[in-house]
Amino acid sequence: MHPLILLAATPSPSPTIPSLRAGLSDDQIGPGFLGFLAMAFIVAIMFFLIRDMVKRIRRVRYRALVAENAAGGSHGPDAEYLAIPIVSDDAARSAGAKGAHTSGQQAPDGSKPDSGGQ
């Protein structure tokens, strides 16, 4: 057989199971009350830091919006029409019904569609 396969197939000596020092039990190992206080302090500090960061970002966005509006930006109630058609559902249905029979077919009322200047 190949030497690498032999090395992989050879069992290694079983590791010794680590044990605790004399006088310690499993329930005595952990962060304790001091570790809890440290984590609670970190969580509280992070809460206030994130809240302050969100407040500052909101303030920067608001100032940018005010500056854009003062400079005649493209947003807001005084903005010019941006050539974006706003069509209601009824208008879309009627436009769809009018445009549906422009391919040379007969209209539902029996009339021929407009030939487009031909």
Side-chain angles (χ1 to χ4, degrees):
M1 288 176 81
H2 196 274
L4 290 177
I5 294 175
L6 287 175
L7 286 174
T10 307
S12 62
S14 63
T16 59
I17 298 174
S19 61
L20 297 174
R21 285 190 315 210
L24 287 178
S25 65
D26 288 336
D27 62 335
Q28 291 176 329
I29 299 175
F33 185 68
L34 186 60
F36 171 76
L37 287 179
M39 288 303 298
F41 178 73
I42 291 172
V43 167
I45 292 298
M46 290 304 298
F47 172 78
F48 289 111
L49 281 174
I50 291 171
R51 195 174 88 179
D52 183 59
M53 179 187 65
V54 168
K55 181 174 66 173
R56 289 174 188 268
I57 289 173
R58 187 178 299 134
R59 187 181 309 148
V60 167
R61 285 185 182 169
Y62 178 73
R63 286 179 181 168
L65 181 65
V66 167
E68 181 181 344
N69 286 341
S74 62
H75 301 292
D78 297 332
E80 294 179 16
Y81 182 68
L82 297 175
I84 301 173
I86 299 173
V87 181
S88 66
D89 290 337
D90 296 331
R93 283 191 207 102
S94 66
K98 290 178 186 174
H101 46 79
T102 59
S103 61
Q105 300 173 352
Q106 193 170 9
D109 61 347
S111 64
K112 287 276 189 177
D114 189 25
S115 62
Q118 295 177 356

